[in-house]
Amino acid sequence: MAKHEPHKIKSIRNLTYFSLSDRLKYLRNVDFNVGSLPSSLVTFDMVSQGSSAMSQEQVGALFLGDEAYAGARNFVTLSRRVQEVFGLEFICPLHNLYGGLKLLCSIKVAPGVIVGGNSPSPRGVVEYFRGTYEQFSQDEAGESPGSIDMEKTAKFLAENSGKVAFIYIDLYSGGCLPIAFAALTALREAADSTGTLLVIDTSCVAQYAHHLIKNEASFQGKNVADIIKQVSALAHTIVFDAGQDAMSNVGGFLATNDAGEHEKHQNEVVVFEGLHTYGGMAGRTMEAVAVGLGEMTDDLQAEWIAFQTGLLAAILEEAGIPL
């Protein structure tokens, strides 16, 4: 690919660079807790989710906001886009990923109930509802990086029959190691055989699709859009944080083809987020998210993000900075 951005930059915000002595002073002032620094003192923020810049189409979409309490036209637009991109019929809008986790746990989790998964993300929410979280480890090396020990997983499901609320899978295991597609397929089979719900966090599904194209032979020659549908089809329910691949400031949703599960989402979202036709999002946000969902399926954009991230990693490694 060309080693330049596949877009024109039409707006900039100046960054402030601080001397080493200034940085040390600011860090000492907050006892070296970078989470206590105001963003004005942070030049590069590698933690926050949510895009600080949107495409011109997303910015334009903000002017199409229909802020009706019920039945906003933007909800219709977002629903159609989710159907197009993920192949899933029903959508429940949310304010972000943790809104989805809280919603799922409020429906599924109670004392004595167990949730399994490959990411640490759900643990706090599961335990808040007095459930137990069992984290599956992924193979970080060996012949099949990203694989999961399915023998242990099957034993876990069999020993806890009737107690497992759902299995939660993050495509990047807490933001790091991508899960192998074969492991996803095996997890769906195991979930179906035991009547367990499989929930997949697809917030980074475009980047995951690009990873599969580059690293798994069976996906070479395919495009990002088709693989997103293939991955989503393995889930009973997906949860999506729009601040990640969709490059929105905020927003998210649960989506499923199961009308019964969707009805539970609709009933519960009013308690925690808002009416089922806007959840935790304004109408204009839903419109911007819908645009972002379409844009994230662009193969060139996925290629650029992967290249840019790899370049940053190489520069840090060359400088001896651990990452």
Side-chain angles (χ1 to χ4, degrees), residues 42 45 61 73 87 119 129-130 132 199 201 226 271 315 323:
V42 178
D45 182 351
R73 69 189 71 178
S119 167
F129 286 96
R130 304 296 186 266
T132 301
V199 178
D201 175 0
D226 288 341
V271 179
I315 292 170
L323 65 145

Side-chain angles (χ1 to χ4, degrees), residues 112-302:
V113 170
I114 304 170
V115 174
N118 70 330
S119 167
S121 298
R123 183 179 301 278
V125 188
V126 171
E127 292 176 352
Y128 175 82
F129 286 96
R130 304 296 186 266
T132 301
Y133 186 67
E134 180 80 22
Q135 186 171 339
F136 307 141
S137 60
Q138 286 184 201
D139 181 13
E140 297 189 13
E143 296 182 3
S144 303
S147 62
I148 288 177
D149 189 328
M150 289 308 301
E151 186 175 335
K152 288 182 179 178
T153 303
K155 183 179 179 182
F156 162 78
L157 290 172
E159 290 178 348
N160 297 286
S161 179
K163 295 181 181 179
V164 181
F166 58 89
I167 300 172
Y168 177 89
I169 296 298
D170 185 336
L171 295 176
Y172 277 92
S173 184
C176 301
L177 181 69
I179 188 171
F181 187 78
L184 276 182
T185 304
L187 282 165
R188 174 60 191 252
E189 292 173 355
D192 284 342
S193 67
T194 56
T196 308
L197 195 72
L198 177 61
V199 178
I200 299 180
D201 175 0
T202 56
S203 305
C204 293
V205 69
Q207 286 308 300
Y208 181 68
H210 179 267
H211 161 77
L212 293 179
I213 292 169
K214 293 296 182 182
N215 295 283
E216 296 202 18
S218 61
F219 288 93
Q220 290 178 11
K222 292 189 175 183
N223 58 48
V224 167
D226 288 341
I227 298 174
I228 289 174
K229 288 190 179 73
Q230 194 172 347
V231 171
S232 302
L234 292 175
H236 294 108
T237 297
I238 67 166
V239 58
F240 187 86
D241 189 307
Q244 298 185 49
D245 276 358
M247 299 290 187
S248 182
N249 298 128
V250 70
F253 52 82
L254 292 168
T256 181
N257 279 329
D258 188 320
E261 288 298 316
H262 176 59
E263 185 175 3
K264 295 174 187 175
H265 301 163
Q266 285 183 308
N267 292 338
E268 200 74 8
V269 73
V270 182
V271 179
F272 294 111
E273 300 275 314
L275 197 66
H276 61 273
T277 56
Y278 75 88
M281 286 188 280
R284 57 187 174 274
T285 304
M286 288 191 283
E287 196 74 24
V289 171
V291 173
L293 290 175
E295 292 175 342
M296 78 177 190
T297 65
D298 180 71
D299 292 87
L300 186 57
Q301 175 167 294

Side-chain angles (χ1 to χ4, degrees), residues 70-84:
R73 69 189 71 178
N74 310 117
F75 174 72
V76 176
T77 302
L78 180 60
S79 297
R80 287 174 178 166
R81 185 56 55 86
V82 170
Q83 291 164 5
E84 292 168 4

